Amino acid sequence: MSILRSKYYDHPDGEDAFGKIVATNKYALAAGLAWSTVDVLTLAKPKGYLPTLGRFAYNTGPLMGMATAFTLTTLAATNARGKDDKINYLLGGFAAGGVFGAWKHNHVAGLCAGLFLGIAGVIKKMSIEQGWEFFPDSPTKQYGGVNIAENDWSIMADRPKGWTTEKQA
């Protein structure tokens, strides 16, 4: 199995630290590169290659640090406490919030982000334990699309061709 194909829940919590770090950092890297592209093109508009790479590093690095802090804190809490429960994810969220606060040089922002990310982690852990998905893979029925004219999604079908309101004699 390729290391880039690893997923967070391939192994139980408390095991396979490197695989879990790779799994979380894939998403952090993707989000960081996407946000950095928006930042470079619309907000910061750096002049030259080095300032552009600096903006990419400024945005992507802390997001990867937050993912790593969450993963390692959750792993350490699971191993230290000997329990696999929601508190570990709450602690991981607060660790990621601490990295965010250091990035923004604002401890209040870090505390708020830690609270938000901790609650998000608890909700994610609840979804894993209870077997439901916060963002399901595919909707049960999809309406609309590119070829909407070919599909009849209305309540009543169209009238037949040549239909009139009066009877013709």
Side-chain angles (χ1 to χ4, degrees), residues 32-52:
L33 292 177
W35 174 248
S36 296
T37 302
V38 170
D39 181 39
V40 163
L41 293 176
T42 61
L43 302 172
K45 298 182 182 176
K47 307 286 189 240
Y49 294 114
L50 259 128
T52 302

Side-chain angles (χ1 to χ4, degrees), residues 123-124 126-139:
I123 292 171
K124 177 62 179 173
M126 286 173 51
S127 75
I128 295 300
E129 289 175 347
Q130 298 172 1
W132 53 271
E133 293 182 24
F134 198 73
F135 297 110
D137 288 336
S138 62

Side-chain angles (χ1 to χ4, degrees), residues 66 69 92-104 106-107 109-111 113-114 117:
M66 290 169 62
F94 272 103
V99 173
F100 180 81
W103 175 32
K104 295 299 181 183
N106 188 340
H107 62 280
L111 182 65
L117 293 170

Side-chain angles (χ1 to χ4, degrees), residues 16-164:
D16 189 27
F18 184 72
K20 288 181 182 289
I21 289 172
V22 169
T24 55
N25 275 310
K26 285 189 303 188
Y27 297 109
L29 179 66
L33 292 177
W35 174 248
S36 296
T37 302
V38 170
D39 181 39
V40 163
L41 293 176
T42 61
L43 302 172
K45 298 182 182 176
K47 307 286 189 240
Y49 294 114
L50 259 128
T52 302
L53 287 175
R55 279 317 278 185
F56 271 84
Y58 174 78
N59 289 319
T60 306
L63 291 177
M64 293 180 71
M66 290 169 62
T68 303
F70 173 83
T71 305
L72 288 178
T73 304
T74 303
L75 180 92
T78 302
N79 289 334
R81 296 179 62 236
K83 296 180 182 178
D84 182 17
D85 61 359
K86 298 180 257 319
I87 294 174
N88 301 334
Y89 280 56
L90 182 71
L91 294 173
F94 272 103
V99 173
F100 180 81
W103 175 32
K104 295 299 181 183
H105 303 288
N106 188 340
H107 62 280
V108 175
L111 182 65
C112 292
L115 183 63
F116 175 77
L117 293 170
I119 291 171
V122 168
I123 292 171
K124 177 62 179 173
K125 183 65 175 176
M126 286 173 51
S127 75
I128 295 300
E129 289 175 347
Q130 298 172 1
W132 53 271
E133 293 182 24
F134 198 73
F135 297 110
D137 288 336
S138 62
T140 56
K141 190 167 189 176
Q142 183 177 359
Y143 294 98
V146 177
N147 59 350
I148 195 164
E150 297 174 10
N151 300 312
D152 181 20
W153 299 109
S154 63
I155 294 174
M156 300 186 57
D158 289 336
R159 297 178 180 145
K161 301 280 186 211
W163 184 84
T164 60

